[in-house]
Amino acid sequence: MNSQDSLSTALHGTAYWPGSDSAAARPQRHELTPREVLSWLPKNATPAQQDSAIQRHIKISEIHWSEQPDTLHMPGHSKGKSFRDISLPKYYRESFFSKSSLFHPELSGGRQGVAGDPVPYTIAGDNVITSILLACFIIVGLSFGLLRQLFKRQLKDFFRPKAESSSGVTETFNEVRLQIFLAFQTSLLFGICYFFYINSTKESTFVLEQYQMIGIYAITFLAYFLGKSLLYAIASWIFVGGKKIIQWQKTNLFLIALEGLLMFPLILVVSFFGVSIQNSAIYTVIVIILTKILVFFKSRNIFFKQTGGFLQLFLYLCALEIMPLLNLWGTLTLISSYLKINF
């Protein structure tokens, strides 16, 4: 009865070291853990002794995976197939969450937080249109500096009663070339102005980008100016002839360049100062009416000064001014309707 149990001695303070007999005598009713093995050692055990004890008592056994069939499927249905099976159709292998970062943690989660409201589109914030207007401003300034004397001479001869005075004006090749370039710029400015009008009033979405729409409108205005000049040349050659055709072509080129110079400030204030489209439309109509009055006055001095036929002049202007202008408006409306996205 006084004999002491060896297991009790080992558990209650007997010194224990790896490889000792007390370790062999200790019963093992479950798989040991490193914590349990280290608890048998004294507190001053070295790391080498701790490692030796763990290697002796803990053996890494082979892992045996379960071979039981998967029963986590709907009753009455066959078990599911792995998504790695290449024979499965695509709609089995991909789902709504296939590309979701929540379903695939290895994918990036995207933006953190809540997205803010996007900055609305403004003409002043458009770099392309701003660059175009800046280039036009530089070209207008240089052209006006080079053609200042020509403009003064043309304005002086424009209101002279003698038709021969304008035909005798000589212009250099550079002056004519700059006037033609200003006519191209006038077409571009009218195209930008009409795009502003469509973008503000119609509130439509187009199949093309805004720069392509501006280019199409500018080409339409250029075709209008070229077609009107061709009609004037044909009508003048049939009914009048002589030097008056050249005189009218110079006057027409001057009026087109003048329209561009008058429209350029409007484009600037609409783009950078937020002028309403209603006021812009009123200004544009005033410029067009003023130009038609000058055309009426100059046509009378060139073609109908001797005859004095007011009815002939009215029919002449209706056929060569009013009808092309109405056709231009219809063409622009038709282009916008064709390129608009109908929801």
Side-chain angles (χ1 to χ4, degrees):
M1 293 178 65
N2 294 327
S3 62
Q4 189 175 6
D5 189 11
S6 60
L7 179 59
S8 177
T9 304
L11 293 175
H12 293 84
T14 304
Y16 174 81
W17 297 95
S20 62
D21 295 339
S22 60
R26 183 178 297 275
Q28 299 179 4
R29 299 180 180 179
H30 61 279
E31 186 176 355
L32 296 176
T33 62
R35 181 178 181 277
E36 292 178 347
V37 175
L38 293 178
S39 65
W40 298 340
L41 301 177
K43 295 182 179 181
N44 57 353
T46 62
Q49 293 173 344
Q50 294 176 358
D51 182 67
S52 176
I54 290 176
Q55 290 184 5
R56 179 176 179 180
H57 292 279
I58 297 178
K59 304 297 183 182
I60 300 176
S61 60
E62 184 180 358
I63 300 175
H64 298 280
W65 300 103
S66 175
E67 297 180 356
Q68 297 295 328
D70 184 15
T71 58
L72 298 178
H73 57 269
M74 296 295 293
H77 295 270
S78 60
K79 63 179 182 179
K81 298 182 180 180
S82 174
F83 69 94
R84 296 185 179 89
D85 189 359
I86 60 175
S87 63
L88 291 177
K90 186 176 181 180
Y91 56 83
Y92 276 106
R93 290 183 282 109
E94 293 185 2
S95 64
F96 179 78
F97 299 99
S98 297
K99 298 181 180 180
S100 174
S101 61
L102 301 178
F103 188 75
H104 293 277
E106 68 275 6
L107 300 179
S108 60
R111 175 170 33 194
Q112 300 293 333
V114 180
D117 295 333
V119 178
Y121 172 78
T122 56
I123 300 171
D126 196 321
N127 296 329
V128 176
I129 296 181
T130 303
S131 301
I132 293 174
L133 295 179
L134 180 60
C136 292
F137 178 77
I138 296 174
I139 293 171
V140 167
L142 294 176
S143 301
F144 187 77
L146 296 175
L147 301 178
R148 182 173 54 186
Q149 298 299 328
L150 176 63
F151 284 160
K152 288 182 179 180
R153 187 170 64 248
Q154 286 182 341
L155 287 175
K156 184 186 299 183
D157 296 338
F158 194 87
F159 298 99
R160 284 188 179 182
K162 294 182 180 181
E164 291 80 11
S165 61
S166 296
S167 61
V169 174
T170 58
E171 298 178 358
T172 63
F173 176 74
N174 291 330
E175 291 176 344
V176 175
R177 185 174 59 182
L178 285 175
Q179 283 185 306
I180 294 175
F181 187 81
L182 288 177
F184 280 96
Q185 180 177 294
T186 302
S187 303
L188 178 61
L189 293 177
F190 271 109
I192 295 175
C193 185
Y194 186 78
F195 175 77
F196 291 168
Y197 169 76
I198 290 295
N199 194 30
S200 300
T201 58
K202 303 300 180 180
E203 297 182 355
S204 303
T205 305
F206 299 95
V207 297
L208 300 178
E209 295 183 355
Q210 53 189 358
Y211 313 120
Q212 297 175 344
M213 296 295 299
I214 292 175
I216 292 175
Y217 293 148
I219 293 174
T220 304
F221 278 100
L222 181 61
Y224 162 73
F225 290 128
L226 292 177
K228 192 178 69 171
S229 301
L230 181 61
L231 290 177
Y232 265 105
I234 294 174
S236 301
W237 177 72
I238 294 175
F239 297 103
V240 181
K243 296 181 179 180
K244 294 183 178 181
I245 299 178
I246 301 176
Q247 183 181 356
W248 172 252
Q249 293 297 335
K250 292 180 179 180
T251 302
N252 187 33
L253 190 60
F254 169 72
L255 291 176
I256 293 175
L258 182 62
E259 278 185 311
L261 294 177
L262 293 177
M263 290 298 298
F264 185 71
L266 173 66
I267 304 298
L268 291 180
V269 296
V270 170
S271 301
F272 300 105
F273 297 99
V275 177
S276 63
I277 197 63
Q278 290 79 10
N279 297 332
S280 303
I282 294 173
Y283 179 84
T284 305
V285 171
I286 292 175
V287 170
I288 294 175
I289 293 176
L290 178 62
T291 306
K292 299 308 177 186
I293 292 175
L294 295 177
V295 169
F296 179 84
F297 175 78
K298 199 63 179 179
S299 299
R300 181 179 178 276
N301 289 338
I302 294 176
F303 302 115
F304 300 98
K305 181 67 175 179
Q306 303 299 330
T307 60
F310 179 79
L311 181 60
Q312 296 178 359
L313 177 60
F314 180 76
L315 296 177
Y316 191 80
L317 293 177
C318 287
L320 299 179
E321 288 291 337
I322 306 301
M323 292 304 298
L325 188 62
L326 295 178
N327 291 330
L328 172 65
W329 183 262
T331 302
L332 293 173
T333 305
L334 188 63
I335 291 174
S336 301
S337 63
Y338 271 120
L339 298 180
K340 182 176 65 174
I341 298 177
N342 297 318
F343 294 98

